[in-house]
Amino acid sequence: MKQNIMQKVKIPTTYLNLSYYLNKYVHELPAPPLDPKTKQPIGPAALARLFPMELIKQEVTLDEFVPIPDEVRELYAMYRPSPLLRAKRLEEALGTPAEIYFKYEGVSSVGSHKLNTALAQAYYNKREGVGMLTTETGAGQWGSALALACKLFDLKCKVFMVKSSYEQKPYRKTVMHLYGADVSASPSRETQAGRSFLAKDPHTPGSLGMAISEAIEVAATTDGAHYALGSVLNHVMLHQSIIGLEAKEQLAREGAYPDVIVGCCGGGSNLAGVSFAFLADKISGKKPNLRVVAVEPDACPSLTKGEYRYDSGDTAGMTPMLKMYTVGSDFVPSPIHAGGLRYHGDSPLISFLYYKKLIEAVAYGQREVFEAAQLFAQTEGIIPAPESAHAIQQVIVEAKRAKEEGKKKVILFNLSGHGLLDLGAYEEFLSGRMKG
Ligand SMILES: *Cc1c(COP(=O)(O)O)cnc(C)c1O
């Protein structure tokens, strides 16, 4: 059994659109984004202030496949196809009969899956004549990805970074600066939204919801600027589908197909990425028993404890209202280290799948997640991003259950990024100072 199953698969030429398969739920599904003021479905014209037309089309398309532009595929070749690896030594350490495979997105130039959509978004904006992109970032992974993508397509990049991460993770700021982006801690004094958040609480650690409000305000008030979002929206899920398309082909070469797929879930993009190519089989009836599990932190439990309803994507109420599982757009999660999982809502697609019980969700505390990360580092060598470590914790639970049941099941998970810029968090864990 080869442990690195990278050989021979090609970078896909199209993304896979799960909405095509969900069309059979058409009587329930169209829960379109609503205008925050009128509460009426929002039209393409209103979105065009923030996004290029091609991405707006991708947001609503029901085509099964969407072509990947050659320019984007060429840049993907810097790091794709990403390896599919078998976690043999983790299996042995757990004494499990389960086979554990993982897709490793930490090989991307910026260390996470976020570059898959950053490159596509920068490309479509550039092609429509945009000169600058604004965005928010939590832990800094999305900001780094967009900063690099903007540099490669010669766009300016302005990033609002959640203040608690800005302070805890200074090196991500350095990465963004190195790629040429302008970075501010959010909430900042540069925007009306930022100033109003600070007036309410001068010591707020910030949140993704606040940073999104600031980034949108700058995009909406600056000529030639657009806004880019690193998760949640349908077009982001679409771009990330490349992960599962590759994984499916890589696993097929081993004659394997997953019984269970696990991904951590902040906005839902890496989970969508690894699972959608397989969920297409479940929804179309070919693999009815496939399980997909979303893993979130218990500090921000949007799927496991949230409500399924329309909510704003940001704190100031500037984004379209999205139908999603949410803990509330004014929720400020405690500053845990998995910054990328601190979003109050979830992608409308992931939310719908959860609502229809096509996927499951679980939540874990920080310390058990870091224990799982340490076991993974000590067996497989890779130090996972704290976000990805949530998936590993659930994989360990699944593998132990397989052992108890004496079942040989195939587990696939997404290792969405590496944790080499998260050593401060690991230091806190090792010293015993980490909170639950
Ligand atoms: C951003 C991020 C996440 C969380 O975002 P999703 O959209 O849920 O994938 C998870 N892992 C890593 C490494 C990230 O950078």
Side-chain angles (χ1 to χ4, degrees):
M1 175 69 66
K2 286 179 251 44
Q3 288 183 26
N4 182 339
I5 310 157
M6 196 172 167
Q7 76 289 5
K8 289 202 209 106
V9 309
K10 294 210 176 72
I11 299 172
T13 55
T14 59
Y15 300 117
L16 175 79
N17 178 22
L18 197 73
S19 298
Y20 167 85
Y21 293 89
L22 290 174
N23 212 11
K24 73 175 184 188
Y25 299 101
V26 73
H27 298 298
E28 304 159 78
L29 184 61
L34 303 181
D35 186 297
K37 293 203 185 80
T38 65
K39 307 281 191 287
Q40 294 303 307
I42 200 160
L47 292 173
R49 186 63 201 84
L50 295 179
F51 300 105
M53 209 34 85
E54 195 55 40
L55 291 179
I56 296 172
K57 279 193 208 148
Q58 290 184 3
E59 199 57 25
V60 296
T61 181
L62 294 177
D63 290 350
E64 184 177 10
F65 298 107
V66 171
I68 305 177
D70 286 342
E71 292 87 337
V72 176
R73 280 185 89 231
E74 262 167 46
L75 291 170
Y76 282 162
M78 292 193 294
Y79 62 97
R80 304 211 73 86
S82 67
L84 178 82
L85 298 148
R86 173 127 179 229
K88 260 298 199 190
R89 287 156 298 272
L90 177 63
E91 290 170 17
E92 278 158 24
L94 296 170
T96 178
E99 292 180 7
I100 302 174
Y101 296 90
F102 63 99
K103 193 70 170 148
Y104 185 39
E105 292 295 308
V107 297
S108 100
S109 321
V110 298
S112 81
H113 69 292
K114 298 274 187 357
L115 195 56
N116 299 332
T117 185
L119 290 169
Q121 292 192 45
Y123 167 79
Y124 290 117
N125 275 288
K126 180 71 183 182
R127 216 182 51 179
E128 291 184 26
V130 169
M132 170 181 176
L133 289 178
T134 70
T135 198
E136 72 293 329
T137 194
Q141 279 127 329
W142 166 241
S144 317
L146 194 70
L148 174 58
C150 282
K151 184 47 71 187
L152 292 171
F153 283 105
D154 193 23
L155 296 165
K156 279 199 221 155
C157 184
K158 167 80 197 182
V159 183
F160 288 92
M161 184 172 187
V162 176
K163 202 204 293 166
S164 58
S165 294
Y166 190 90
E167 285 160 3
Q168 276 173 5
K169 305 193 169 176
Y171 291 136
R172 296 237 191 253
K173 193 172 49 189
T174 311
V175 171
M176 291 184 263
H177 283 153
L178 202 52
Y179 289 141
D182 180 18
V183 188
S184 303
S186 170
S188 78
R189 304 217 152 267
E190 294 163 41
T191 64
Q192 242 174 24
R195 288 188 295 272
S196 78
F197 300 139
L198 286 170
K200 261 189 233 150
D201 179 3
H203 303 294
T204 177
S207 69
L208 278 169
M210 293 184 206
I212 294 174
S213 301
E214 291 206 89
I216 289 186
E217 184 180 322
V218 172
T221 53
T222 310
D223 263 353
H226 267 174
Y227 166 71
L229 188 59
S231 186
V232 180
L233 299 178
N234 296 350
H235 67 261
V236 180
M237 307 297 128
L238 177 76
H239 302 152
Q240 295 296 356
S241 68
I242 192 168
I243 300 171
L245 289 168
E246 287 177 7
K248 199 170 178 184
E249 212 182 315
Q250 288 166 317
L251 277 175
R253 280 165 201 272
E254 297 300 298
Y257 192 96
D259 297 298
V260 53
I261 301 175
V262 179
C264 64
C265 189
S269 72
N270 88 86
L271 173 68
V274 70
S275 66
F276 277 10
F278 299 94
L279 275 168
D281 294 340
K282 181 179 172 90
I283 294 164
S284 57
K286 278 189 244 164
K287 294 283 178 184
N289 298 324
L290 170 68
R291 292 176 52 226
V292 173
V293 186
V295 191
E296 50 186 23
D298 58 15
C300 193
S302 41
L303 289 173
T304 49
K305 299 234 174 88
E307 291 173 42
Y308 189 43
R309 61 172 168 92
Y310 272 104
D311 196 10
S312 177
D314 69 319
T315 310
M318 294 157 91
T319 69
M321 311 274 292
L322 300 173
K323 180 123 185 229
M324 59 184 178
Y325 279 89
T326 173
V327 286
S329 55
D330 53 358
F331 181 76
V332 180
S334 66
I336 55 161
H337 286 290
L341 304 183
R342 294 175 73 232
Y343 186 60
H344 66 272
D346 279 287
S347 122
L349 277 173
I350 290 289
S351 295
F352 184 76
L353 292 166
Y354 185 61
Y355 174 67
K356 296 304 293 179
K357 300 196 166 44
L358 291 162
I359 65 173
E360 305 162 30
V362 291
Y364 291 107
Q366 183 162 234
R367 209 168 323 119
E368 54 193 332
V369 162
F370 273 77
E371 275 160 20
Q374 184 174 29
L375 176 61
F376 190 77
Q378 291 185 352
T379 50
E380 297 300 323
I382 300 171
I383 297 173
E387 289 86 355
S388 321
H390 286 72
I392 296 171
Q393 164 62 11
Q394 177 62 16
V395 166
I396 291 172
V397 168
E398 295 283 346
K400 286 183 175 163
R401 197 179 300 151
K403 183 179 174 182
E404 280 159 24
E405 293 171 354
K407 276 198 193 134
K408 186 174 176 292
K409 66 180 166 188
V410 175
I411 302 171
L412 169 65
F413 78 97
N414 198 19
L415 191 59
S416 50
H418 69 64
L420 289 173
L421 287 174
D422 299 279
L423 296 183
Y426 279 102
E427 185 57 39
E428 199 178 297
F429 166 70
L430 290 172
S431 71
R433 279 181 286 122
M434 180 167 278
K435 297 197 187 78

